[in-house]
Amino acid sequence: MIKLSEYIGKNLIIKQNSIWKREFTLFSDNEVISEMKYPGYLSEFAECRIGNEKFIFKRPHIFSNMIEIRKEGYELPIAKMDTNFFATKGILDLPRGKKITMKFGLINNKAEIYYGESELLVTLRYKVSFKEKSNVIIEKRSEVLDEFPWIIMLAFYFVQLKRRNTGVSH
């Protein structure tokens, strides 16, 4: 499994591969760290591949404020993220009682990932272009990011749901 703490101070970018496909890549320089794709063009769930592991981000039903994270081949979710009514804050419940707080801007230009409520781990800044693109800044070394590297792609997935206005932001 990839340790994201090794990428502190490096330029990480999430970029859409093609304007016609909903496929995204998280990379540093020329090294691919993670890939996320939607199986169909109007699909609500995304598949995230990190190394040889594959995770699925999915809402249980269309008007749900919750996102379930499943490992490929398993029925039960390994983690769940609940958001508030305005979709500006999300609480991610991880195994063994760990909690991650994600804060999203109202204009969708920034997302922040905190361990607990106050320990800033990652910042995502979105750029405006035809292809979706965002810069990822890892602020602090953390065991949680090393153990669950898909957290960054989950934040990116949630912002895309908000932008598509598909029920996450009521």
Side-chain angles (χ1 to χ4, degrees):
M1 179 81 68
I2 294 170
K3 292 193 180 246
L4 287 178
S5 293
E6 298 173 4
Y7 294 98
I8 292 177
K10 293 187 179 177
N11 189 23
L12 298 178
I13 296 173
I14 299 176
K15 186 176 177 183
Q16 187 173 6
N17 299 338
S18 167
I19 196 169
W20 307 111
K21 296 181 182 176
R22 294 178 66 199
E23 296 177 355
F24 304 91
T25 306
L26 170 65
F27 62 92
S28 171
D29 300 327
N30 292 329
E31 179 187 2
V32 174
I33 299 169
S34 175
E35 295 175 333
M36 183 175 78
K37 69 177 184 174
Y38 293 82
Y41 187 74
L42 298 174
S43 179
E44 291 248 340
F45 73 94
E47 298 172 345
C48 177
R49 181 175 299 279
I50 298 174
N52 21 351
E53 291 187 315
K54 191 174 186 182
F55 300 93
I56 297 169
F57 306 144
K58 183 180 179 182
R59 290 190 296 170
H61 46 80
I62 193 162
F63 294 112
S64 176
N65 282 347
M66 181 177 22
I67 297 172
E68 294 179 341
I69 298 91
R70 295 188 174 113
K71 214 170 189 179
E72 184 183 41
Y74 292 93
E75 288 294 318
L76 294 175
I78 59 169
K80 292 181 182 178
M81 182 172 122
D82 285 319
T83 61
N84 64 359
F85 183 74
F86 295 107
T88 57
K89 183 177 178 181
I91 307 286
L92 178 63
D93 292 322
L94 296 169
R96 296 186 296 275
K98 295 179 181 175
K99 291 201 184 291
I100 294 286
T101 304
M102 296 186 188
K103 297 181 181 175
F104 305 96
L106 287 173
I107 323 170
N108 299 333
N109 61 352
K110 184 175 158 183
E112 296 174 334
I113 301 172
Y114 293 87
Y115 182 60
E117 285 287 330
S118 60
E119 188 178 335
L120 181 62
L121 299 178
V122 179
T123 305
L124 283 85
R125 298 186 194 279
Y126 298 94
K127 293 188 173 185
V128 178
S129 68
F130 288 111
K131 294 188 210 176
E132 291 200 41
K133 183 177 180 181
S134 67
N135 289 340
V136 179
I137 303 161
I138 297 177
E139 305 283 348
K140 190 173 184 183
R141 187 174 303 274
S142 172
E143 291 178 13
V144 175
L145 279 179
D146 292 340
E147 192 174 351
F148 308 105
W150 46 262
I151 292 173
I152 292 174
M153 296 307 275
L154 177 66
F156 185 75
Y157 167 77
F158 181 74
V159 169
Q160 287 184 324
L161 279 181
K162 270 180 69 171
R163 285 184 176 173
R164 290 177 60 110
N165 205 8
T166 58
V168 171
S169 60
H170 301 285

